Every structure is written in structure tokens, then in C-alpha cells.
């Protein structure tokens, strides 16, 4: 499942990131968003998702959230 349908407040493990943009993939890696890392959806806004990765909170758009697959 992707982050757009993930339950709010539940911790998930990043399974895969389906994105072709290497620069964006490197940016997500620098935030700590890569395969095997825990991620939690904090809230949903109109066109974005607020997530907690490690010690930070980040607002990502719904298209990027769709590319982050979790289990």
C-alpha cells in the first residue's frame, strides 16, 4: 500500500519507493526515507501527507506519497 491509504498514527516500514527521479530519490534518502526504515503518517491535508521519519516531520505531496510503498 502507499502512504495515501496508510492509517494515521500507525507506524509502517518503507518497502519500496517507485520514483524515476534520481534527485528526488536522493533527497528522500537524505531525510531517512528508504527501504526498511519506519515511517508514520501524522495527518492528511488537502493535497499532501504529513509524515514522521526518524526525528523529523515532513509534508509531502500526494503524488510523492503515492510512490512510497509501505507494509
Amino acid at each position: 500500500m502507499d502512504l495515501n491509504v496508510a492509517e494515521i498514527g500507525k507506524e509502517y516500514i518503507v518497502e519500496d519507493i517507485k520514483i524515476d527521479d534520481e534527485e528526488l530519490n536522493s533527497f528522500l534518502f537524505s531525510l531517512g526515507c528508504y527501504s526498511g526504515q519506519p515511517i508514520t503518517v501524522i495527518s492528511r491535508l488537502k493535497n499532501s501527507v504529513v509524515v514522521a521519519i526518524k526525528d523529523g516531520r515532513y509534508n509531502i505531496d500526494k503524488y510523492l506519497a503515492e510512490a512510497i510503498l509501505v507494509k
Side-chain angles (χ1 to χ4, degrees):
M1 93 176 79
D2 65 51
L3 288 179
N4 285 323
V5 296
E7 195 176 317
I8 294 174
K10 184 176 177 186
E11 184 174 273
Y12 293 92
I13 302 296
V14 176
E15 189 172 20
D16 195 15
I17 299 175
K18 300 282 186 184
I19 195 159
D20 294 331
D21 186 348
E22 277 301 315
E23 188 175 320
L24 191 53
N25 200 14
S26 295
F27 175 70
L28 288 172
F29 186 84
S30 73
L31 297 179
C33 185
Y34 49 88
S35 185
Q37 288 299 314
I39 189 169
T40 304
V41 175
I42 303 298
S43 66
R44 283 192 185 81
L45 305 172
K46 184 176 181 179
N47 290 317
S48 61
V49 178
V50 179
V51 296
I53 305 169
K54 295 192 177 188
D55 292 332
R57 289 183 182 204
Y58 306 99
N59 185 16
I60 58 175
D61 71 15
K62 65 180 181 178
Y63 301 108
L64 184 55
E66 191 175 275
I68 300 173
L69 305 178
V70 295
K71 58 181 174 181

